[in-house]
Amino acid sequence: MQRNKLRLNEETATHTAILLDGAMGTMLQQAGLPLGVRPESYNLDFPEAIEGIHKSYIEAGSRIIYTNTFGANSHKLQGTGLNTKEVVESAVKIAKRAAGDMAKVALDIGPIGEMLAPNGTLSFDEAYEIFKEMLVCGEKAGADLVVFETMTDLLEVKAGILAAKENTALPVFVTMTFEKNGRTFEGTPIEAMVSVAAGMGCDAVGINCSLGPREIAPLIKRVKALTDLPVIVKANAGLPNLETGGYDLQPDTYAEESVEALLDGVAYIGGCCGTDPEFIRRLKGKIEELQPIPPSVGGGVKEHIIASSATKAVMAGGVHVTGERLNPTGKPRLQEALANESFDYILKQALEQADAGAAILDVNVGHPGIDEARVLPAVVLLLQSVCDLPLQLDTAKVNAMAAALRVYNGKAIVNSVNGKESSMAQILPLVKKYGASVIALPLDDDGIPETAEGRLQIIDKIVGRAEALGIPRRDIILDALTMTVSAQGDSALVTLKTMDLVRAKYGLLTSLGVSNISFGAPNRPALNLAFLTLALDHGLDLALINPNQLSMMEMIAGRRVLLNQDPSMKAYIRFMEVNAGQYQAAAAGGGNQSPGKGTKQAVMEGHTPEDRLSLAIRQGLKTETGLLTGEILQTMDANLVVETILIPALDRVGKDFEAGTLFLPQLIAAATSAQEAFEKIKEKLALEKKASISRGSILLATVKGDIHDIGKNIVKVVLENYGFDIIDLGRDVPVENVARKAVEKNIKLVGLSALMTTTLDSMHETIRALRESCPEAKIMVGGAVLTRNYALNTLKADYYAKDATEGVAIAKGIFGGWDQ
Amino acid sequence: MDYKIEYIDESDVLRYLGFKNFRAGVVKRGTGETETSPEVEATLKEVREMAGEILRVARPKGIYQRIPLTRRDGEFYLLDGSLHLPGKSIKHHLKESHEVILITGTLGIAVDQYLRSTQLTDMKRAVMSDSIASVAIENILDQVQEEIEQSLGDGEYLTDRFAPGYGDLPIGLNGRLAGLLDTKRQIGLTVSASGIMIPRKSVMAIIGVADRPQGKFARGCANCTMKEDCSFNKAGEICKGTN
């Protein structure tokens, strides 16, 4: 779609800031808007009042006015008798009438008012549709641009930008609202906002609301350092004044305190809560007084954001570790987890790498039989719900890449593009559209050139194509490719020279998968470490390694100290503390870990390993449980371990819990310890390519609309440890998903949870759907608001489980078991 | 407004965790008199350590606002009659009140995020931290209420906090109350389509303003953030902290 650039960008090339308007809500309250009445209703009921406010701002100097549509989305208007179309149309019409040719009209869009998943239950697609409706109406009614303001949720902003870009030609302004600490309520830092807004081609970006001009000034400096886009500021009239209930700045002090932002070269300035036309008039006076103000565009990007999540940004400079472990190649346990869609295992691997010091996680779900276009975006959503590291999306499937980029919250790294025509033609437009970074590989239809010069030529081609599409050079990351040194003696040298040539010519950032170098060689860690050291000397920015490998991580930590990147060794010392356990284990026995003297009191000498395992589970000793299980598995069949040790131990714990001599924390600790034992068993079975132990599959879900899933998760942990396979559909699960999955997996037992009176209806519907699609499946329900009577008689569930141990009893009854 | 968690009532945490035979007051803080068991002691030690993490991730906020209360045909309304407060229990609660104060507070979304990831890495910690956070948000509300009390005029008295979802006051009211208080913009609190407050560790309540002292039911179920998920309640019991 041809973008309508208006004359906005030309205007910002002049040396003055363009005046926006001030508050609408404050003015309406002054005009007598009663509490509880939607300001948007005034567009229809009192259009002349709205027009009057617009006019007074234009008279004060505003050259862009915001329509009175902040909360005009269909979600917020629900139940008010108003609809988005009539509100937006009338609001734009009023604004245009007021503006004449004196001002541009910005379609104002505030937050939807509900939180997006994973924090809330609103989906990305729903948010997109809600924005799309406003945008299409607004453009049709004649708005000149759109401004998303007072945003705090980055994914919501992304949905809004996409909806604007895909459905209108309107220029897009984005301002988010930050607290003094430089983060939104949802924890989004300025870096993450800028990476998304600038990356996705917004026309201006900035800050509004929450703080006064003095508090916003340092945040604006930060925005300016990160982008060459025009910067917007709309501060409140100072901080809330508790005594008056208003704000603490007068128009003249407001203008005075805005000087810093003006001198920093903001392109658009206006006011938010508590401001009125007098504030705008004073700002206008101040701008005239300060002439000429330095140019606001073209200052250049001073600090570059390589990648971001909603809450974390990885900045260029120094070396960052990209965790490589979320890749099923050569990892049977991960392959099994993907095949079974038991995503918890994957999420745990992600959190482990984050703990170990990774700054970015590479995510690859490619394996025969996996539909990447479906699974990759699903895994991305799950990862982002628990882990705050930016992700590197690693897939050869273009549709999977597109789907994952769409739902990704933040600026992703695309892994990868290469010199093949098909790759460049398909991948680079995605990189541009979603504002990602991209890993560029020097290979094409003729394979990987053997010389550095040959590899440079391919990079020439990729850089040229990327820049032609408007992808900035700084977003292209070279992976010079690592070939195994045992096959080709100079392979490391070629890689390093490629890095040198490309860095000298284009200044690209670099990434490298290190471990390929040692393939087929003895003592691989030593070669890997040596190669990583060399690559760092050649300017490597992103090291794609296994962050659980201590030697590499400690070398990087040490290197940061020596290069004076870690003042007073803070990170270095923290690294040693975090990894103290590994150091002790290494000192104790060179990696051959066994539960020795250092372990806790419960695992006593003299007992048989079987007794010790049973005791370790009861005491909730996770590490010991894992180690002992490994030991016992060397001589005992896995099934037998489950049957004769694990289940009886858990049964005893369950009985004590029932009896009230043992409490919830201990029950869970025992269950999680047993989980460690099951993990060892699964690893062994996956390695031996044996079928996993399973007493049957149970489907669990927290019903649609409900996000209280901790109870369901407790049930899951406990059931898993009785050898049941749990298919966990998560929380807020649509009715049809439960029914479909139950049919697909031929499920005999479904567990549903709901914790709110308002979501019991969803439970009822889910049960009805299940009865229809798989009448033979038994249904057990649980959750705080449920009673046995209600569950069995009103909901017509088969079972009511008041807690996890009762759930186990029900499952045993249905599937039978070894211990019956 | 920003707040800090000042105090986490450990005996409340234990009750939330289902320590059935544990009675509030068994561990007498500060007196040195403890009548307790090894399980209780071990759990308390863990609670203290885990509370530190909640203190670190929480960004507690709270606000309140006075709202006119209207009675018409025996029904109670907020504002000039545009917001109905249905049910018997709220009528009883506000029977002597001439005005209400809406009060709300939250620990912030980072606590939700912390509890989500902890459920993967350490379920026991997650469950315990969940209870700790539920107790912590009560402390924030207590502080907001203290501020309200200081702002009262002569001869004004408050009722206790009464939250939608308690008695027959529908939880669906949360969305309207959040809208009135503009909680999304003020403290980052939203309400989902099914009435769930997000961030999860949040409280929204109605306090009545009366012109004579009001009976207290402090520590009662109405005030309790666990009311949606109370194992005692499910079993038809009340926890021992309710007296």
Side-chain angles (χ1 to χ4, degrees):
Chain A
M1 199 175 279
Q2 183 63 38
R3 301 231 70 79
N4 172 6
K5 286 283 178 190
L6 285 169
R7 293 185 305 280
L8 292 169
N9 284 347
E10 290 161 45
E11 287 174 33
T12 58
T14 64
H15 289 202
T16 55
I18 292 174
L19 274 170
L20 308 170
D21 58 10
M24 173 63 73
T26 306
M27 297 294 287
L28 286 173
Q29 276 159 21
Q30 283 172 14
L33 175 79
L35 186 63
V37 173
R38 290 229 58 89
E40 291 79 14
S41 67
Y42 270 42
N43 293 319
L44 302 164
D45 297 340
F46 305 102
E48 61 293 339
I50 303 293
E51 189 175 340
I53 292 170
H54 284 320
K55 277 188 170 155
S56 62
Y57 278 124
I58 293 167
E59 277 160 23
S62 298
R63 289 299 163 260
I64 296 177
I65 55 171
Y66 289 18
T67 56
N68 179 32
T69 50
F70 182 82
N73 67 71
S74 58
H75 179 269
K76 270 200 173 158
L77 293 184
Q78 217 167 34
T80 62
L82 302 168
N83 73 64
T84 295
K85 188 164 176 287
E86 61 177 0
V87 168
V88 169
E89 272 172 7
S90 60
V92 173
K93 208 188 296 169
I94 295 164
K96 283 179 73 80
R97 205 159 56 219
D101 51 11
M102 289 295 289
K104 300 288 179 199
V105 171
L107 174 69
D108 184 33
I109 301 185
I112 293 170
E114 223 191 274
M115 219 146 346
L116 268 70
N119 290 324
T121 55
L122 190 71
S123 75
F124 183 82
D125 289 342
E126 286 171 307
Y128 177 95
E129 289 301 326
I130 288 170
F131 286 135
K132 179 179 164 184
E133 184 187 15
M134 284 187 78
L135 286 156
V136 170
C137 290
E139 182 177 46
K140 214 164 150 202
D144 298 304
L145 68 148
V146 55
V147 55
F148 294 97
E149 65 163 343
T150 327
M151 291 287 173
T152 54
D153 182 339
L154 189 65
L155 196 58
E156 188 177 354
V157 169
K158 178 171 174 175
I161 299 171
L162 264 184
K165 296 268 171 190
E166 291 181 346
N167 300 288
T168 75
L170 299 173
V172 180
F173 285 20
V174 169
T175 60
M176 292 183 78
T177 297
F178 295 85
E179 295 189 77
K180 259 189 209 164
N181 66 353
R183 288 181 182 265
T184 69
F185 285 144
E186 272 85 345
T188 292
I190 287 166
E191 290 79 3
M193 168 183 77
V194 171
S195 68
V196 167
M200 292 184 67
C202 290
D203 298 273
V205 62
I207 298 175
N208 79 297
C209 205
S210 186
L211 304 168
R214 186 207 299 267
E215 296 80 27
I216 283 184
L219 307 181
I220 286 293
K221 275 198 202 332
R222 187 77 196 127
V223 178
K224 290 288 293 178
L226 296 166
T227 180
D228 48 14
L229 279 182
V231 173
I232 311 163
V233 62
K234 254 193 171 202
N236 283 352
L239 298 173
N241 184 319
L242 295 179
E243 273 163 32
T244 64
Y247 292 87
D248 66 359
L249 291 185
Q250 295 305 310
D252 54 338
T253 43
Y254 184 85
E256 196 52 53
E257 293 194 358
S258 298
V259 166
E260 194 174 342
L262 287 167
L263 291 177
D264 282 333
V266 293
Y268 301 98
I269 189 165
C272 204
C273 303
T275 63
D276 62 28
E278 191 52 31
F279 284 73
I280 300 301
R281 195 167 289 119
R282 296 300 175 101
L283 273 178
K284 183 167 189 272
K286 191 55 76 179
I287 292 170
E288 282 159 6
E289 198 184 305
L290 290 172
Q291 288 300 338
I293 295 170
S296 60
V297 285
V301 175
K302 292 174 197 72
E303 288 181 58
H304 175 56
I305 305 150
I306 301 176
S308 67
S309 66
T311 51
K312 244 185 194 157
V314 174
M315 309 300 295
V319 59
H320 303 288
V321 170
T322 308
E324 66 171 15
R325 291 188 47 76
L326 296 182
N327 187 330
T329 312
K331 299 192 187 76
R333 181 70 185 90
L334 185 54
Q335 291 164 10
E336 193 209 322
L338 278 171
N340 299 336
E341 302 201 0
S342 60
F343 294 128
D344 280 7
Y345 177 80
I346 297 167
L347 301 183
K348 283 178 197 173
Q349 295 274 311
L351 291 172
E352 258 179 38
Q353 293 186 84
D355 268 357
I360 298 167
L361 296 180
D362 188 87
V363 192
N364 184 321
V365 296
H367 194 63
I370 302 290
D371 175 10
E372 286 189 59
R374 189 177 58 82
V375 174
L376 187 62
V379 168
V380 163
L381 283 175
L382 287 169
L383 281 170
Q384 293 207 295
S385 74
V386 296
C387 178
D388 61 1
L389 298 188
L391 301 179
Q392 175 164 302
L393 307 172
D394 185 358
T395 176
K397 303 258 167 41
V398 177
N399 58 348
M401 184 64 82
L405 280 169
R406 192 167 185 90
V407 298
Y408 180 81
N409 193 358
K411 176 181 183 179
I413 302 177
V414 166
N415 188 10
S416 56
V417 69
N418 60 52
K420 291 178 190 169
E421 180 53 38
S422 60
S423 172
M424 293 188 293
Q426 292 180 310
I427 295 294
L428 292 176
L430 288 177
V431 171
K432 170 67 184 164
K433 177 175 182 182
Y434 292 104
S437 288
V438 60
I439 304 261
L441 305 181
L443 64 88
D444 60 15
D445 291 313
D446 300 324
I448 302 170
E450 284 182 7
T451 65
E453 290 74 12
R455 293 186 192 183
L456 173 62
Q457 275 176 14
I458 296 177
I459 296 301
D460 286 338
K461 203 162 56 174
I462 297 173
V463 170
R465 285 288 285 273
E467 290 193 329
L469 278 174
I471 298 169
R473 200 174 278 190
R474 55 181 181 265
D475 281 335
I476 307 169
I477 302 166
L478 167 76
D479 180 338
L481 292 173
T482 304
M483 311 303 289
T484 170
V485 75
S486 49
Q488 189 190 335
D490 68 345
S491 79
L493 294 174
V494 172
T495 304
L496 297 171
K497 187 171 175 195
T498 307
M499 286 171 61
D500 292 345
L501 292 179
V502 171
R503 275 164 44 86
K505 185 162 178 184
Y506 295 112
L508 297 193
L509 294 168
T510 56
S511 169
L512 207 53
V514 173
S515 52
N516 255 0
I517 197 76
S518 62
F519 196 77
N523 195 11
R524 293 187 62 182
L527 277 181
N528 293 347
L529 183 62
F531 184 48
L532 176 59
T533 314
L534 279 171
L536 289 171
D537 288 339
H538 287 258
L540 184 67
D541 300 285
L542 302 175
L544 181 66
I545 60 174
N546 175 359
N548 300 110
Q549 263 182 18
L550 200 57
S551 59
M552 300 239 218
M553 296 304 285
E554 65 186 355
M555 185 273 277
I556 290 172
R559 192 180 169 92
R560 285 184 181 134
V561 172
L562 301 181
L563 294 176
N564 200 17
Q565 293 165 347
D566 180 11
S568 51
M569 298 198 212
K570 239 170 122 177
Y572 183 75
I573 290 167
R574 167 139 179 78
F575 178 83
M576 299 302 151
E577 282 168 2
V578 168
N579 293 290
Q582 287 203 52
Y583 284 112
Q584 278 169 10
N592 179 23
Q593 303 176 0
S594 77
K597 297 220 170 62
T599 55
K600 294 192 186 166
Q601 72 283 4
V603 191
M604 291 168 289
E605 301 290 335
H607 283 68
T608 64
E610 289 79 0
D611 287 346
R612 283 157 65 200
L613 176 55
S614 175
L615 213 51
I617 289 173
R618 188 185 170 81
Q619 304 257 335
L621 305 174
K622 228 168 126 180
T623 318
E624 284 78 358
T625 302
L627 294 173
L628 283 163
T629 308
E631 200 175 294
I632 293 168
L633 277 174
Q634 288 172 9
T635 55
M636 198 175 190
D637 176 67
N639 274 303
L640 215 56
V641 175
V642 175
E643 242 174 89
T644 61
I645 308 174
L646 298 184
I647 302 290
L650 284 165
D651 276 341
R652 278 193 294 277
V653 171
K655 278 199 188 94
D656 289 350
F657 175 72
E658 287 296 312
T661 53
L662 192 141
F663 302 99
L664 189 60
Q666 285 94 17
L667 175 74
I668 294 165
T672 23
S673 299
Q675 210 169 27
E676 201 68 22
F678 274 95
E679 199 46 54
K680 283 276 183 293
I681 288 169
K682 278 186 192 166
E683 269 170 29
K684 184 156 187 255
L685 293 176
L687 209 65
E688 293 169 355
K689 303 219 185 296
K690 282 192 195 157
S692 210
I693 286 181
S694 174
R695 301 169 75 183
S697 295
I698 302 171
L699 192 65
L700 292 184
T702 299
V703 300
K704 178 75 190 157
D706 213 320
I707 56 162
H708 303 71
D709 60 350
I710 196 162
K712 185 251 321 165
N713 291 340
I714 294 171
V715 172
K716 172 166 83 171
V717 169
V718 175
L719 282 175
E720 270 177 343
N721 293 325
Y722 276 84
F724 296 105
D725 262 348
I726 305 301
I727 302 169
D728 179 11
L729 297 182
R731 52 197 197 143
D732 187 24
V733 185
V735 171
E736 58 276 15
N737 288 14
V738 181
R740 196 181 49 226
K741 202 60 159 189
V743 173
E744 186 188 315
K745 298 275 179 185
N746 191 21
I747 293 295
K748 289 204 181 61
L749 178 60
V750 180
L752 300 174
S753 81
L755 282 114
M756 306 281 286
T757 44
T758 44
T759 51
L760 282 180
D761 283 345
S762 302
M763 185 177 265
H764 213 153
E765 277 172 44
T766 310
I767 291 174
R768 275 197 289 259
L770 280 167
R771 293 300 185 213
E772 214 161 275
S773 58
C774 37
E776 69 291 347
K778 298 289 183 198
I779 301 170
M780 63 172 170
V781 298
V785 290
L786 284 173
T787 59
R788 196 174 296 276
N789 185 28
Y790 189 85
L792 302 181
N793 297 324
T794 306
L795 294 176
K796 308 265 186 237
D798 299 297
Y799 305 97
Y800 166 78
K802 77 169 160 53
D803 56 29
T805 51
E806 209 172 309
V808 168
I810 292 166
K812 278 184 183 171
I814 289 174
F815 293 99
W818 302 290
D819 51 333
Q820 292 218 322
Chain B
M1 291 311 298
D2 292 339
Y3 291 87
K4 276 202 176 81
I5 301 167
E6 286 175 346
Y7 172 68
I8 292 174
D9 189 324
E10 292 161 354
S11 55
D12 278 354
V13 176
L14 289 185
R15 281 190 297 110
Y16 287 0
L17 288 171
F19 278 68
K20 294 177 196 162
N21 302 323
F22 175 80
R23 284 162 205 282
V26 168
V27 179
K28 291 174 186 155
R29 258 181 312 274
T31 64
E33 279 177 64
T34 50
E35 190 188 320
T36 177
S37 71
E39 279 87 5
V40 168
E41 276 307 299
T43 307
L44 273 179
K45 200 173 148 209
E46 286 176 316
V47 165
R48 283 171 202 141
E49 183 260 322
M50 291 176 188
E53 278 299 286
I54 295 296
L55 289 175
R56 190 179 63 78
V57 295
R59 289 188 64 77
K61 292 179 193 301
I63 44 166
Y64 66 91
Q65 188 170 347
R66 275 183 183 245
I67 308 271
L69 179 68
T70 313
R71 286 181 173 81
R72 198 193 301 140
D73 305 330
E75 288 299 306
F76 284 41
Y77 299 85
L78 295 186
L79 306 169
D80 56 355
S82 56
L83 208 166
H84 186 213
L85 299 177
K88 283 185 192 139
S89 34
I90 189 70
K91 280 181 207 157
H92 177 74
H93 186 75
L94 297 178
K95 74 178 171 240
E96 294 182 342
S97 300
H98 54 269
E99 201 179 4
V100 302
I101 294 173
L102 294 185
I103 178 171
T104 182
T106 179
L107 294 187
I109 202 72
V111 172
D112 290 27
Q113 287 156 356
Y114 172 77
L115 293 175
R116 267 207 307 274
S117 57
T118 312
Q119 282 184 54
L120 280 165
T121 52
D122 188 345
M123 192 67 193
K124 175 180 160 193
R125 177 177 282 266
V127 169
M128 294 179 67
S129 301
D130 192 88
S131 292
I132 293 166
S134 292
V135 175
I137 182 61
E138 289 303 333
N139 176 252
I140 300 305
L141 269 283
D142 286 345
Q143 293 180 47
V144 181
Q145 186 162 345
E146 223 163 88
E147 269 175 38
I148 296 173
E149 273 159 12
Q150 281 164 14
S151 76
L152 290 179
D154 282 343
E156 285 188 319
Y157 300 91
L158 298 183
T159 68
D160 275 316
R161 306 194 285 268
F162 195 95
Y166 180 64
D168 58 359
L169 189 65
I171 192 121
L173 210 55
N174 277 334
R176 296 289 303 276
L177 300 185
L180 269 187
L181 287 170
D182 197 12
T183 56
K184 163 82 178 161
R185 196 195 277 247
Q186 300 290 338
I187 61 172
L189 169 63
T190 64
V191 178
S192 83
S194 40
I196 298 173
M197 283 185 283
I198 300 166
R200 286 264 294 101
K201 296 305 173 186
S202 303
V203 171
M204 173 101 61
I206 298 170
I207 299 177
V209 185
D211 48 17
R212 64 183 198 128
Q214 297 289 295
K216 293 277 170 194
F217 56 82
R219 309 228 132 273
C221 300
N223 278 327
C224 177
T225 30
M226 295 298 282
K227 64 179 177 285
E228 290 290 336
D229 186 20
C230 173
S231 52
F232 298 104
N233 191 19
K234 265 194 291 182
E237 301 165 12
I238 53 168
C239 72
K240 302 304 185 284
T242 313
N243 305 312

